[in-house]
Amino acid sequence: KESIYGEVSIANPKFHLRKNGKVQTKKTPDFEDVAVWTSSSSAEWQAGLEDGTAGRRSKKVCYMNKGAWVEQILDMHTVVPGAFYTIRLDATRSAEKADRVLVQVYLGDEEVHNDSLGELKNMWVEYRTQWQAPSNTAPGQNMRLRITMVKPWGQIDNVRVHCGQTAT
C-alpha cells in the first residue's frame, strides 16, 4: 500500500513552465502565462518571472511587488486529517525594502494557517512553516497555498510541501 505521507506533488514548483507546457525562456512582466499558479494581479510588474538574483541567474524565478500574491490548489493531494504539513520555499529580496513573505493555507475558502516568514536576505534562503490539519478535516479536501510579498520586490522559487505523521 502506498503511504499517504511524504512529499506532496506540486505542479510547477519552480515557476519554470508556461501554460502551453514549454519552459520559460524570457522575462515575463505579467503572470498570466505561468502554468498552474494564479496571481492577485494581471497588471504588468506586479508578479512575473525574471532571472534569479544571488546565484540563480540561469533560472527563472517568481518576483512580486508589495501585496502581490501567487497561489495554487494542490489538487494532486487530498489533505490527511491530523497530518503535519511543512511548507518550504526559497526566497530572497531583489530590492532593499522586501523583508518578509506571507504563507497562507486555505481549505476551500477558509484560511486555516498563515505565517510571516523572513527576514529576507540578499541571498537565497529556505524558509519554512508548519500546519497541522485538524483531525476532523472532511474527506477529499484539497489545500490551497498562497504566497504574498509583504513589501516590494522579493523573489520566490522552489516551493515544497511535506506531509508527515508527526511534527518532525
Side-chain angles (χ1 to χ4, degrees):
K1 181 180 176 186
E2 190 176 316
S3 175
I4 57 175
Y5 301 107
E7 291 302 312
V8 173
S9 294
I10 298 179
N12 204 10
K14 296 183 179 183
F15 301 92
H16 66 294
L17 297 177
R18 300 175 74 90
K19 285 189 178 170
N20 63 9
K22 293 183 180 174
V23 174
Q24 299 277 355
T25 58
K26 61 183 180 178
K27 189 170 185 170
T28 306
D30 62 66
F31 208 73
E32 291 181 356
D33 195 37
V34 177
V36 182
W37 293 89
T38 59
S39 175
S40 59
S41 175
S42 60
E44 279 196 341
W45 311 116
Q46 290 303 300
L49 297 181
E50 64 186 357
D51 292 333
T53 58
R56 295 195 185 200
R57 296 237 177 250
S58 62
K59 273 175 77 166
K60 298 295 180 242
V61 297
C62 175
Y63 69 83
M64 290 182 285
N65 199 351
K66 176 182 179 179
W69 53 255
V70 296
E71 71 176 18
Q72 80 163 268
I73 296 172
L74 308 185
D75 59 3
M76 295 182 278
H77 175 82
T78 300
V79 174
V80 178
F84 291 85
Y85 286 87
T86 303
I87 300 150
R88 301 175 304 166
L89 59 92
D90 295 345
T92 186
R93 62 183 178 193
S94 53
E96 307 251 333
K97 292 182 181 178
D99 61 352
R100 305 189 81 67
V101 176
L102 178 64
V103 174
Q104 296 164 282
V105 175
Y106 293 84
L107 292 180
D109 290 331
E110 181 184 353
E111 181 184 286
V112 293
H113 176 76
N114 76 58
D115 196 0
S116 180
L117 310 177
E119 296 282 322
L120 298 183
K121 312 276 185 223
N122 287 333
M123 60 187 211
W124 287 94
V125 176
E126 178 186 276
Y127 296 93
R128 59 178 65 201
T129 183
Q130 192 170 70
W131 166 70
Q132 184 178 16
S135 57
N136 64 350
T137 300
Q141 295 262 354
N142 294 116
M143 167 189 316
R144 180 167 42 106
L145 181 62
R146 178 180 290 178
I147 303 165
T148 306
M149 195 59 57
V150 177
K151 291 189 177 176
W153 307 123
Q155 297 177 350
I156 60 168
D157 180 31
N158 199 15
V159 179
R160 285 115 35 228
V161 177
H162 184 270
C163 173
Q165 197 167 4
T166 64
T168 58

